[in-house]
Amino acid sequence: TALRATFNDSYEVYGADYSPVFLDEFKKRRGYDLRRYLYLLDPTNRNDESRRVLCDYRETISDLLLDNFVNVWHHWAGKNAVKTVEQAHGSPANILDLYAVSDVPEIEGRDLVSIKAAPSVAHTEGKKLSSSESATWLDEHFQSNLGDVKKALDLFFLGGVNHIFYHGTCFSPQEAPWPGWLFYAAVHFHPNNPFWEDFKYLNQYVTRVQSFLQDGTPDNDVLLYYNIADVMSEQGNRSLQHFSGLDRNMLESSVRESAVTLTENGYAWDMISDKQLLKTNIEKEMIVTPGAAYKTVLVSAAQYIPYETMEKLMALADEGATVVFHKGIPQDMAGMILSEEKQAHFKEMLDALDFHAEGAVKCARVGKGKICLSDDINALMDEANVGAEKMYQAGLQCIRRNSATGKYYFIENSSDRKIEDWIPLRTEARSAAIFNPMTGVSGLAAMKRNDGQTDVYLELNPGETVIVST
């Protein structure tokens, strides 16, 4: 039987911080000889120059991991007619760029904003599937029930995953003594688990949900800039950081703070890296990636930014986009910038911004578009004409996709109370159908139009989910 795909599990190669070609690659990629500045990598050096060299060192490791490992593996897989499934998290690199190479980016975890890393790349790059290593370390052996597993799976669905893999279907020979061979971090989805006879009902649930989430196209509004340069410029006792979306090293970052705010307020967003941002263009004032279109880019309190990224953001605004900055515009470029021409142009770009206050927001016209600045994310979203899903105010969460005839909503009651109410959807619709993925029951929704949006009547117990198709 032919293999469908090859799989790279989470990187987690800690302490691997060099290669025989590193110094030559550094000079080629960064434009100067690291041999002259190696002393600045000593963690006792804490000046501005050492911070810049450290950022360049980490960026070079990131580039080599992408070019000399992930790209090589993906090319080999293509020659052998198999797909690549990539868990980029745990890498000392910009994981969004590693995910982008693979056919199926895969994530794990229990934190919603971090889970969105791999699905974000699937959305921006136009990949149909984003998978998950599901239910890892959910509890101690045989202590997790199917309800616990469903709760974990629903979080992946809300994050944009549409291709579930269970973590713990471990091979075990029939003659092995009970309970058989067990994987150390697993729930144990095998016949020796007492829930095995009921496992099919969870699989039916997953099948029904994925039948919707694998159809259509993404429908998110905001590109959240994954500002890795600030973190790569942070000095400390470790030469390398290992990234896992918006947790661990990004835990205290402004990007995570913005991601949490966007999520809690019901805004639909994806992350984007520097390399991915450079591929975007403008169509009808929308920022278009290979896989989707967005209303704005949000840059969150960045201190450093690559020269090319700032230049691209200005170009997007010049062509008609609204680009928003939360809590300040970066005043400096990332890494060691030896080009006086780039330094002068960077300053010119900032000096050209003539801001005028408009309530809580300051905006500067740039060509056909504008650059806006505020400490209030909600005000920035209003300025960019980005609406929120108001169901979040009632304790619901959702993910929204475009279908051939309208929208798909996967909705979860994340509150601790039963909800019986009219729930607003941020879309206009002539009709709506409700699908219960747990029972398979479906029917037309009670619906009313309300000032450019659609209200549907929902009855959901805590933890219950439903799919609404408009």
Side-chain angles (χ1 to χ4, degrees):
T1 302
L3 290 173
R4 170 181 176 252
T6 54
F7 174 51
N8 180 40
D9 205 343
S10 49
Y11 187 76
E12 298 181 46
V13 183
Y14 302 109
D17 59 358
Y18 188 75
S19 81
V21 299
F22 182 79
L23 290 173
D24 292 337
E25 289 286 348
F26 184 98
K27 186 174 183 180
K28 181 173 69 176
R29 294 166 186 270
R30 305 277 90 87
Y32 64 97
D33 193 343
L34 182 61
R35 293 173 180 87
R36 297 175 51 199
Y37 299 92
L38 278 173
Y39 70 97
L40 291 173
L41 296 180
D42 187 321
T44 60
N45 284 305
R46 295 296 179 99
N47 57 32
D48 182 66
E49 191 177 34
S50 67
R51 183 182 294 109
R52 295 180 181 279
V53 171
L54 183 61
C55 180
D56 284 345
Y57 165 75
R58 290 165 172 167
E59 286 277 8
T60 304
I61 291 286
S62 178
D63 290 345
L64 291 177
L65 184 55
L66 174 63
D67 294 340
N68 293 358
F69 173 52
V70 179
N71 276 325
V72 173
W73 162 53
H74 186 71
H75 178 69
W76 170 88
K79 285 175 59 179
N80 288 275
V82 294
K83 294 184 181 297
T84 51
V85 180
E86 164 76 326
Q87 287 189 0
H89 47 277
S91 302
N94 193 321
I95 61 172
L96 301 187
D97 295 331
L98 306 189
Y99 285 134
V101 174
S102 64
D103 295 305
V104 183
E106 181 166 304
I107 194 67
E108 61 177 301
R110 304 185 200 177
D111 173 68
L112 180 57
V113 297
S114 289
I115 284 172
K116 287 175 71 71
S120 286
V121 176
H123 295 163
T124 59
E125 295 293 312
K127 302 175 189 293
K128 179 181 177 181
L129 301 177
S130 177
S131 58
S132 62
E133 175 190 307
S134 310
T136 307
W137 280 124
L138 199 56
D139 207 330
E140 289 298 332
H141 298 274
F142 295 104
Q143 292 188 19
S144 300
N145 59 47
L146 292 177
D148 298 328
V149 177
K150 177 189 175 294
K151 184 177 181 180
L153 301 186
D154 287 341
L155 198 65
F156 285 118
F157 289 141
L158 289 169
V161 168
N162 61 4
H163 193 32
I164 295 293
F165 282 89
Y166 297 112
H167 195 225
T169 311
C170 183
F171 170 75
S172 182
Q174 290 189 352
E175 64 273 14
W178 189 91
W181 293 1
L182 306 178
F183 182 61
Y184 75 102
V187 174
H188 311 310
F189 299 97
H190 58 66
N192 288 337
N193 196 315
F195 67 43
W196 182 257
E197 291 302 316
D198 297 318
F199 187 27
K200 61 185 178 184
Y201 299 111
L202 182 61
N203 287 327
Q204 290 170 359
Y205 171 78
V206 170
T207 300
R208 290 168 182 144
V209 173
Q210 291 186 167
S211 70
F212 287 92
L213 296 186
Q214 290 181 13
D215 190 31
T217 58
D219 187 32
N220 294 338
D221 299 309
V222 182
L223 284 169
L224 177 61
Y225 170 58
Y226 189 66
N227 175 30
I228 203 169
D230 275 1
V231 181
M232 284 190 168
S233 301
E234 289 179 357
Q235 296 164 311
N237 295 324
R238 293 182 299 165
S239 60
L240 292 182
Q241 304 119 316
H242 292 253
F243 296 94
S244 298
L246 287 173
D247 61 358
R248 296 189 184 180
N249 284 304
M250 303 293 280
L251 192 61
E252 303 300 324
S253 71
S254 58
V255 186
R256 180 180 172 87
E257 178 185 347
S258 293
V260 171
T261 300
L262 289 170
T263 302
E264 290 178 345
N265 285 276
Y267 296 108
W269 58 275
D270 285 320
M271 286 182 256
I272 193 166
S273 73
D274 295 284
K275 284 184 172 67
Q276 292 158 5
L277 191 62
L278 295 181
K279 298 188 299 183
T280 60
N281 57 73
I282 300 298
E283 294 180 14
K284 298 179 181 178
E285 299 184 353
M286 297 289 284
I287 301 166
V288 178
T289 72
Y294 300 82
K295 291 185 175 181
T296 190
V297 177
L298 169 62
V299 181
S300 181
Q303 182 177 358
Y304 300 100
I305 194 167
Y307 167 82
E308 294 78 10
T309 301
M310 190 66 189
E311 191 176 45
K312 181 64 177 182
L313 292 171
M314 296 293 289
L316 290 173
D318 188 60
E319 295 167 19
T322 298
V323 178
V324 298
F325 289 82
H326 185 221
K327 293 184 178 179
I329 292 179
Q331 298 297 306
D332 210 341
M333 292 176 284
M336 186 82 82
I337 305 298
L338 303 178
S339 167
E340 293 182 2
E341 182 180 351
K342 285 186 176 180
Q343 292 174 344
H345 187 222
F346 189 87
K347 185 176 185 304
E348 287 173 6
M349 288 189 288
L350 296 182
D351 290 344
L353 296 175
D354 183 18
F355 286 105
H356 297 277
E358 300 176 17
V361 180
K362 294 189 295 184
C363 290
R365 298 301 307 184
V366 178
K368 300 176 185 176
K370 56 187 175 181
I371 301 280
C372 295
L373 172 65
S374 179
D375 290 343
D376 185 340
I377 282 185
N378 290 303
L380 287 172
M381 293 300 101
D382 287 343
E383 192 66 39
N385 195 30
V386 174
E389 291 289 354
K390 296 179 181 178
M391 69 174 73
Y392 278 69
Q393 299 172 11
L396 301 178
Q397 290 182 292
C398 72
I399 185 168
R400 184 185 68 232
R401 290 179 67 85
N402 293 311
S403 73
T405 57
K407 307 284 186 184
Y408 294 140
Y409 280 83
F410 172 79
I411 301 171
E412 181 193 47
N413 180 0
S414 304
S415 74
D416 57 2
R417 61 184 178 83
K418 184 175 182 178
I419 290 177
E420 301 174 274
D421 206 350
W422 289 98
I423 301 300
L425 308 180
R426 199 174 64 80
T427 185
E428 290 189 78
R430 290 195 301 269
S431 62
I434 294 179
F435 299 83
N436 186 321
M438 183 59 70
T439 64
V441 174
S442 62
L444 290 177
M447 190 195 83
K448 59 184 180 181
R449 296 178 184 177
N450 181 12
D451 191 25
Q453 67 183 22
T454 301
D455 291 358
V456 295
Y457 191 81
L458 296 181
E459 297 182 6
L460 291 173
N461 289 308
E464 190 175 4
T465 61
V466 70
I467 291 165
V468 176
S469 176
T470 71

